[in-house]
Amino acid sequence: MIPENETIDFIEKGHKEFLHHLSIDCVLFGYHEHQLKVLLLKWKESDKWSLAGGFIKLEENLSEAATRILKERTGLDEIFLQQFQTFGEPKRSHRSKADIDHLETITKGSVPADHWLLKRTVSIGYYAVTEYSKVNPHPDPLSDKCEWWEIDSVPKLIFDHNFILAEALKALRMQIYHQPIGYNLLPEKFTLPEIHDLYETILGKELDRRNFAKKLISLGLIKKLNERRSIGAHRSPFLYKFDKRKYDKALKDGIILAF
Amino acid sequence: MIPENETIDFIEKGHKEFLHHLSIDCVLFGYHEHQLKVLLLKWKESDKWSLAGGFIKLEENLSEAATRILKERTGLDEIFLQQFQTFGEPKRSHRSKADIDHLETITKGSVPADHWLLKRTVSIGYYAVTEYSKVNPHPDPLSDKCEWWEIDSVPKLIFDHNFILAEALKALRMQIYHQPIGYNLLPEKFTLPEIHDLYETILGKELDRRNFAKKLISLGLIKKLNERRSIGAHRSPFLYKFDKRKYDKALKDGIILAF
């Protein structure tokens, strides 16, 4: 929980520290065994939920700002953040009387209509995927809860955040055909069903098992180990691991995958 | 050529019409028989070249702003613009003494250091591809030339525009695997070599002829006509056309292409 005076400071003095008209929204996806979740925050004194977001300091890079915002929420600082789209419909940030009331409730004072948090805001969207069991979520100055929600049970979010989430998922699903994924999401040694499940869960569709494995192996992204995992009578699938050098090269240069 | 008073008006009064800290840069690619070009502008009173760019009106959508900017430069208004990345390194828009001098030369007056055109600017990048023989380029208020340059002979551009161009080309090359292209770039009826050449030119690499055609046909994007084009003795390749319904559906829903 952020102390009250810090929240009030942010509302009253943030205009000197951050660029106006601009914000960042981070869609943090969390993967864990067959499930895809997303990190959401609940606004203080309200039952509204939102994505993790924040502002850009006067002399800060966009990607630094996104990394800082996500670190504040999750404690993680080695997350591969991907910028995917900038959202700027004028209406997306038209603030209502309720938004002004909300700020006034928090600050216990009056908030002018030209307050920096009420200006037209263009928001730059980033997404990342993490293993959600590794994350310990923290609320931000305007929220009192920060929790994982299953992708399919996300409630109505503030502003255009449901749209931003849907676009992030589309971008992630396209990106997965051009950049490898899984290095921080799977154990160091994994079975083919485990990596197959990761891709199916993210893509939200079935993938032919045989073609899938053949493709990843032929690109050199994963290699078979001379080791098996025993998971029951007569079942001991081979283990695989990522070829980190080829994985990093593929991250940098891009790949073309079609299962 | 834009009249001088319009240029001065824009420099002196633009801060009341446009959002501060934000701009749009458009990378307009032009395709014509084996060649990929890009539209560049030359700054007035200078030998510096730049991408086509502009600002966002106070209550304008980002995509409307990009469409307006490109229409002002090209006369075209039915261009499929794709937002691809937002550029915001603080250094990208640090203006030098030369930039201030440049504005002062144009306005024949003094320009304060906190002038709206000298603020930190985050730029939203869009790209589009057009048939360049259809375009009649126009300079903007700050430029005196607007011309097509071959992709491989682009000079050093202002700010980070060479980087923006390179990123646009990367994004276009990735997009081409997920959205069809060619409807406005090829004649209504075309041969397989013509569409193959379009894809090879954009991707900047060779594609297997047989697989390429097979893939587009199996996705239903193009269909063979019962018509041939005569291009010489013993050479009369079949003509093809896009299936517009499937093409539009693929544009909307996305496809997965791998040649």
Side-chain angles (χ1 to χ4, degrees):
Chain A
M1 194 83 179
I2 309 275
E4 199 175 331
N5 59 346
E6 223 175 280
T7 303
I8 294 174
D9 253 25
F10 166 78
I11 296 175
E12 291 182 348
K13 298 183 189 150
H15 66 283
K16 291 185 227 161
E17 195 183 348
F18 300 104
L19 288 179
H20 294 200
H21 293 300
L22 276 166
S23 66
I24 283 186
D25 282 303
C26 296
V27 182
L28 182 61
F29 292 108
Y31 172 76
H32 187 76
E33 288 175 1
H34 306 279
Q35 281 198 315
L36 193 61
K37 302 201 174 189
V38 62
L39 193 71
L40 299 178
L41 292 99
K42 194 186 83 60
W43 276 21
K44 275 183 188 169
E45 320 277 349
S46 148
D47 55 359
K48 288 182 180 171
W49 289 83
S50 75
L51 295 168
F55 297 90
I56 304 153
K57 293 184 181 169
L58 298 182
E59 287 294 323
E60 192 177 34
N61 279 339
L62 304 184
S63 59
E64 278 169 16
T67 304
R68 172 179 55 75
I69 289 163
L70 212 52
K71 186 176 177 180
E72 287 166 5
R73 297 292 76 72
T74 61
L76 298 174
D77 57 2
E78 291 210 2
I79 277 194
F80 179 69
L81 270 161
Q82 186 77 31
Q83 194 202 98
F84 68 98
Q85 196 182 139
T86 293
F87 300 86
E89 296 287 309
K91 266 193 256 171
R92 70 175 295 280
S93 49
H94 280 173
R95 304 307 194 225
S96 63
K97 173 93 176 48
D99 296 316
I100 300 178
D101 291 348
H102 180 219
L103 288 181
E104 291 186 339
T105 309
I106 296 176
T107 56
K108 301 186 182 74
S110 86
V111 167
D114 65 350
H115 188 275
W116 76 287
L117 286 173
L118 301 173
K119 284 186 180 178
R120 174 177 176 188
T121 305
V122 170
S123 193
I124 304 164
Y126 282 82
Y127 70 78
V129 191
T130 187
E131 225 293 355
Y132 67 70
S133 59
K134 289 184 193 162
V135 175
N136 182 12
H138 300 284
D140 73 6
L142 295 178
S143 342
D144 54 16
K145 280 189 193 172
C146 187
E147 290 171 4
W148 291 106
W149 284 68
E150 280 190 46
I151 280 290
D152 298 328
S153 344
V154 166
K156 182 164 174 355
L157 306 174
I158 60 161
F159 310 145
D160 54 356
H161 285 196
N162 292 89
F163 179 66
I164 294 180
L165 169 58
E167 291 294 296
L169 192 57
K170 258 207 247 174
L172 168 63
R173 285 176 174 169
M174 184 164 129
Q175 197 67 28
I176 209 174
Y177 289 99
H178 299 280
Q179 291 195 304
I181 197 166
Y183 190 72
N184 294 306
L185 303 175
L186 294 171
E188 196 199 338
K189 297 171 183 180
F190 49 83
T191 64
L192 287 183
E194 281 171 334
I195 190 168
H196 181 254
D197 175 60
L198 167 70
Y199 273 76
E200 280 197 341
T201 303
I202 291 180
L203 287 171
K205 69 176 186 185
E206 286 185 21
L207 296 171
D208 182 88
R209 263 174 204 277
R210 196 182 292 264
N211 280 345
F212 173 78
K214 222 169 83 182
K215 194 80 194 189
L216 292 188
I217 292 165
S218 74
L219 284 168
L221 288 178
I222 62 173
K223 53 191 182 194
K224 195 172 178 175
L225 300 175
N226 198 9
E227 237 178 287
R228 291 161 180 267
R229 184 186 297 157
S230 174
I231 53 171
H234 313 296
R235 293 186 61 205
S236 53
F238 272 104
L239 289 168
Y240 288 74
K241 65 185 276 185
F242 287 110
D243 181 325
K244 193 58 175 35
R245 204 180 52 79
K246 293 214 173 130
Y247 187 98
D248 288 341
K249 189 171 180 315
L251 262 190
K252 203 173 135 275
D253 301 343
I255 48 173
I256 299 187
L257 214 63
F259 306 120
Chain B
M1 195 81 178
I2 310 274
E4 199 175 332
N5 59 348
E6 224 174 281
T7 303
I8 295 174
D9 254 24
F10 165 77
I11 294 175
E12 292 183 348
K13 299 183 189 150
H15 65 283
K16 291 186 228 161
E17 196 183 348
F18 300 104
L19 288 180
H20 294 201
H21 294 298
L22 275 166
S23 67
I24 283 184
D25 282 304
C26 296
V27 182
L28 183 60
F29 293 108
Y31 171 78
H32 188 75
E33 287 175 5
H34 305 279
Q35 281 197 315
L36 193 61
K37 303 201 174 189
V38 62
L39 192 71
L40 299 178
L41 292 99
K42 195 185 82 60
W43 276 20
K44 274 183 187 166
E45 321 277 350
S46 148
D47 55 0
K48 289 182 180 171
W49 289 83
S50 76
L51 295 168
F55 297 90
I56 304 155
K57 294 185 182 169
L58 297 184
E59 289 293 322
E60 192 177 34
N61 279 339
L62 305 183
S63 59
E64 277 170 17
T67 304
R68 172 180 54 75
I69 291 163
L70 212 52
K71 186 176 177 177
E72 286 166 5
R73 298 290 77 72
T74 61
L76 298 175
D77 56 3
E78 292 211 2
I79 277 194
F80 179 67
L81 269 161
Q82 186 78 30
Q83 195 202 96
F84 70 98
Q85 197 182 139
T86 293
F87 300 86
E89 296 285 310
K91 264 194 256 170
R92 71 175 294 280
S93 50
H94 279 174
R95 304 305 196 231
S96 64
K97 172 92 177 50
D99 296 317
I100 299 179
D101 290 350
H102 180 218
L103 289 180
E104 291 185 338
T105 309
I106 297 177
T107 56
K108 299 184 183 75
S110 85
V111 167
D114 66 347
H115 188 274
W116 76 287
L117 286 174
L118 302 173
K119 284 186 180 177
R120 174 177 177 189
T121 305
V122 169
S123 191
I124 303 162
Y126 282 82
Y127 70 78
V129 192
T130 186
E131 226 294 354
Y132 67 70
S133 59
K134 288 183 192 163
V135 175
N136 183 14
H138 299 283
D140 71 8
L142 296 178
S143 340
D144 54 15
K145 280 188 192 171
C146 186
E147 289 171 3
W148 290 107
W149 284 69
E150 280 189 45
I151 280 289
D152 299 327
S153 345
V154 165
K156 181 164 173 358
L157 305 174
I158 60 159
F159 310 144
D160 54 354
H161 286 196
N162 292 88
F163 178 66
I164 294 180
L165 169 57
E167 291 292 296
L169 192 56
K170 256 206 248 175
L172 168 61
R173 285 175 174 170
M174 183 166 131
Q175 197 68 28
I176 209 174
Y177 289 99
H178 300 279
Q179 291 195 303
I181 197 166
Y183 191 73
N184 295 305
L185 304 175
L186 294 171
E188 194 198 339
K189 297 172 185 179
F190 49 85
T191 63
L192 287 182
E194 281 172 333
I195 189 167
H196 181 254
D197 176 60
L198 167 69
Y199 273 76
E200 280 197 340
T201 303
I202 291 181
L203 287 171
K205 68 176 186 185
E206 289 186 18
L207 295 171
D208 182 88
R209 260 173 206 278
R210 196 182 292 262
N211 280 346
F212 172 79
K214 222 168 84 181
K215 193 79 194 189
L216 291 187
I217 293 166
S218 73
L219 284 169
L221 288 177
I222 63 173
K223 52 191 183 193
K224 195 171 179 177
L225 301 174
N226 199 8
E227 239 178 283
R228 291 160 179 266
R229 184 187 297 158
S230 175
I231 52 171
H234 312 296
R235 293 187 61 206
S236 54
F238 272 104
L239 289 167
Y240 287 74
K241 65 185 275 185
F242 287 109
D243 181 326
K244 192 58 173 44
R245 202 179 53 80
K246 293 214 174 129
Y247 187 97
D248 288 341
K249 188 171 181 315
L251 262 190
K252 203 173 134 278
D253 301 341
I255 48 173
I256 296 171
L257 215 61
F259 306 121

